[in-house]
Amino acid sequence: MSVQVDPAAAPSVAPVSLAAVVLGHGNVLVIDPCTTQVQAGVLRSEQPPHWHTSGDDSSIHLFAAAETCLHASELKPSQINAYVFCDGPGSQLGIRTASMALRTWQALRAAPAPVFAYRSLRVAALAHARIIAGPFAVVADARRDSWHAVRVAADGAATDVLRISREELSTWTEPLFTPAGFRAWAQPPRPAATCVYDCASMFSALSDEPLLFPVTEPEPWLSAPITYKSWTGERHRATSA
């Protein structure tokens, strides 16, 4: 099967759960900008979480969502002891904005706070597996005639995030789902239903699942290296009559 798996999809460090991060660090800020609406949450040990979903302009609503959660939790930004964010797949503009925000917040702190990342499709797939039994696949348009996908087996086990061609996806026989709110530029080769992508409900169901891994430099996850086509310009010269 012609499947591409980026090495970063399976980090060498052991993943940890959101519950473990909250237990170990106390006040945790979660930001997820991968859909058409920014989601944020503040989680604290032995306290109810505060989640907020904002608008689709990440340059504005990412900060507004974080501020809303901090205000509801009666916390200052300096009291956040760890950050959790979705590094992909999803809106590249949103994820780049989140990465920039995290780097800025880190620079403003007296000492950096730990940062943990997770992959959107894997969270969505495992959360959906709590609702229906596999096999099924959760997919999202990766552009360039390819797709990101996570396959869930009958026993509920999920793959890492795969990047496959449209032709390969067309050979899969299991039901397909796309997360709600994901932008798409193409339709899958056969009809796909929609699965929930709501951080509050997903992480409530998956709080003990080891889905997070530490990152030193927050940045978007790329399933394939960025390539550029070279172009050599030539000055236009009129042909002689």
Side-chain angles (χ1 to χ4, degrees), residues 13 28 49 119 161 202 222:
V13 294
V28 177
R119 301 277 144 79
V161 181
M202 291 189 304
L222 298 174

Side-chain angles (χ1 to χ4, degrees), residues 2-238:
S2 56
V3 173
Q4 297 178 356
V5 183
D6 183 78
S12 57
V13 294
V16 297
S17 68
L18 181 58
V21 171
V22 174
L23 181 63
H25 299 284
N27 302 329
V28 177
L29 174 64
V30 181
I31 51 176
D32 190 315
C34 70
T35 70
T36 54
Q37 292 189 305
V38 176
Q39 301 180 65
V42 168
L43 289 79
R44 300 170 293 170
S45 299
E46 300 181 358
Q47 296 288 335
H50 291 280
W51 290 96
H52 182 73
T53 300
S54 195
D56 64 352
D57 186 343
S58 57
S59 65
I60 298 173
H61 294 117
L62 184 145
F63 302 97
E67 183 179 14
T68 298
C69 293
L70 287 168
H71 183 266
S73 303
E74 299 182 343
L75 293 175
K76 299 178 180 178
S78 59
Q79 293 175 294
I80 294 297
N81 299 325
Y83 301 104
V84 173
F85 85 113
C86 176
D87 66 357
S91 167
Q92 282 294 298
L93 177 59
I95 296 167
R96 290 185 186 280
T97 302
S99 300
M100 176 274 294
L102 288 169
R103 289 171 183 250
T104 301
W105 294 337
Q106 292 284 54
L108 294 174
R109 299 178 65 97
V115 180
F116 299 84
Y118 62 90
R119 301 277 144 79
S120 57
L121 292 191
R122 188 162 163 79
V123 172
L126 288 171
H128 199 56
R130 300 292 181 96
I131 301 173
I132 70 167
F136 64 84
V138 176
V139 302
D141 181 15
R143 308 187 76 172
R144 297 184 181 180
D145 209 27
S146 62
W147 289 79
H148 289 125
V150 171
R151 303 182 90 168
V152 177
D155 63 358
T159 67
D160 292 315
V161 181
L162 315 172
R163 181 162 180 164
I164 62 172
S165 68
R166 181 180 180 85
E167 290 74 18
E168 181 68 31
L169 181 59
S170 68
T171 68
W172 292 10
T173 58
E174 64 262 50
L176 302 180
F177 294 87
T178 56
F182 269 57
R183 291 180 171 87
W185 293 264
Q187 294 299 314
R190 55 189 171 82
T194 301
C195 64
V196 171
Y197 194 85
D198 174 72
C199 287
S201 61
M202 291 189 304
F203 280 115
S204 175
L206 302 173
S207 62
D208 293 320
E209 288 281 346
L211 297 169
L212 315 180
F213 48 92
V215 294
T216 54
E217 295 290 340
E219 59 186 6
W221 170 74
L222 298 174
S223 58
I226 298 176
T227 58
Y228 300 94
K229 291 185 177 180
S230 59
W231 174 77
T232 302
E234 294 184 3
R235 179 182 295 177
H236 173 73
R237 292 183 175 86

